[in-house]
Amino acid sequence: MKTSIVKKLKETEEKKGIEILLAVESGSRAWGFASPDSDYDIRFIYRHEKDWYLSPWDKDETIEFMTEDDLDGSGWDLRKTFHLLLKSNAALLSWFYSPIVYKENEKFVELFKPIADTSFSPIAVSYHYLSMSKKYLEACRNDKVKLKSYFYCLRTALTGKWITEKGSVPPILFSELLVLVDDFTRSKIENLITLKATKGESYYHPNDWELFGFLESLVRENEEKSKNLPSGKADKIEMEKVFREIVNLR
């Protein structure tokens, strides 16, 4: 499948007249709990030729595609990427830690990642994951729960816990978040990971109300602790300097 993905990215570059600077997997396959029928969530950052950025007019800064073989692609132009970085966009920050990389301009990553790490705002990213975990928690408040929703709630709630406790960009691999839970809870979650690897995306599972209670209290705890987190330290002057360097990369 990676060969097909790389081919599709190359076709996109040629069709749109762009260069993809970074392309990664961003969904359940990157998180480490994919179902057999999970699609491929390909996320990428791209740039145009230098003259494209000299126009005074607003332009489309997003490229999306969906193929018949479940390749779900979405990319952001370099300028939009910098605007999102200024807001400490959680999705953007996560791309630089994905364990599955399809294409990478090493010089771009070398220039961009340090300012991405510096711009990380614990409070902004924490509230992003808190909002998501609350939504998924409600989806899990039933006797039978879509296993996919359970894992989305687990991932976002544990990611929030990571930020409130460690204050750093959270890991992408779900298994690395499990250091935050006790052995008993970890065993329950690992059993569900094994099950999910055998079930389709639409599978419903009997609710483990004990695990649900753990999630409910964790979300409450995250909400309380998030209030005291610091903001990021984005340096717009440095960001502009790096933007120009990336636009002029050869």
Side-chain angles (χ1 to χ4, degrees):
M1 186 57 75
K2 183 174 181 179
T3 301
S4 297
I5 291 170
V6 171
K7 181 181 177 182
K8 180 61 181 178
L9 291 171
K10 187 170 180 58
E11 288 175 359
T12 302
E13 286 182 312
E14 293 171 352
K15 181 179 179 181
K16 299 291 186 178
I18 60 166
E19 177 191 354
I20 292 175
L21 301 168
L22 179 70
V24 302
E25 183 67 31
S26 181
S28 59
R29 293 182 183 277
W31 301 330
F33 53 72
S35 297
D37 58 346
S38 293
D39 60 9
Y40 289 81
D41 296 305
I42 305 153
R43 301 294 178 259
F44 56 96
I45 297 167
Y46 62 90
R47 68 169 181 169
H48 289 271
E49 289 295 326
K50 184 177 179 178
D51 283 354
W52 191 90
Y53 298 101
L54 300 178
S55 169
W57 316 125
D58 290 336
K59 298 181 180 182
D60 190 358
E61 296 180 312
T62 302
I63 294 173
E64 295 179 338
F65 61 76
M66 175 66 80
T67 70
E68 293 181 356
D69 50 350
D70 295 325
L71 303 186
D72 176 3
S74 181
W76 293 330
D77 173 69
L78 187 63
R79 183 161 53 192
K80 178 172 182 173
T81 299
F82 271 79
H83 280 260
L84 291 170
L85 177 60
L86 194 60
K87 300 175 183 177
S88 192
N89 181 274
L92 172 63
L93 292 171
S94 72
W95 296 356
F96 288 85
Y97 292 88
S98 174
I100 304 174
V101 179
Y102 298 121
K103 189 175 190 297
E104 179 182 55
N105 181 311
E106 292 182 0
K107 186 62 179 174
F108 162 70
V109 174
E110 180 185 316
L111 287 166
F112 192 90
K113 192 170 180 295
I115 61 167
D117 289 342
T118 301
S119 300
F120 170 64
S121 170
I123 190 167
V125 179
S126 175
Y127 276 126
H128 166 80
Y129 285 109
L130 179 63
S131 174
M132 292 177 69
S133 57
K134 282 181 174 181
K135 180 181 73 172
Y136 292 124
L137 186 67
E138 290 310 306
C140 295
R141 199 184 294 276
N142 297 291
D143 289 333
K144 282 201 165 184
V145 178
K146 186 177 282 192
L147 199 53
K148 178 178 180 177
S149 296
Y150 227 125
F151 271 95
Y152 278 39
C153 188
L154 281 165
R155 187 187 77 86
T156 53
L158 287 173
T159 298
K161 182 176 175 66
W162 181 283
I163 296 168
T164 61
E165 291 191 0
K166 300 182 182 294
S168 61
V169 178
I172 300 305
L173 280 173
F174 184 66
S175 59
E176 294 182 16
L177 294 171
L178 295 184
V179 299
L180 302 172
V181 303
D182 61 77
D183 291 343
F184 181 71
T185 304
R186 179 174 185 144
S187 179
K188 279 178 174 283
I189 294 171
E190 287 175 341
N191 287 339
L192 287 177
I193 292 174
T194 301
L195 178 66
K196 192 172 187 296
T198 68
K199 301 293 184 180
E201 292 275 284
S202 60
Y203 168 73
Y204 278 79
H205 188 69
N207 202 338
D208 181 332
W209 287 106
E210 189 173 32
L211 188 55
F212 179 85
F214 161 78
L215 279 170
E216 199 169 36
S217 62
L218 179 56
V219 171
R220 277 198 307 269
E221 183 181 302
N222 287 346
E223 184 166 27
E224 187 59 34
K225 290 183 176 179
S226 291
K227 298 173 184 176
N228 301 315
L229 291 172
S231 58
K233 299 177 181 178
D235 183 338
K236 292 180 75 172
I237 294 174
E238 180 63 20
M239 289 171 69
E240 186 171 341
K241 175 186 171 186
V242 172
F243 174 81
R244 287 174 176 159
E245 285 188 64
I246 295 170
V247 168
N248 287 303
L249 279 179
R250 288 294 175 264

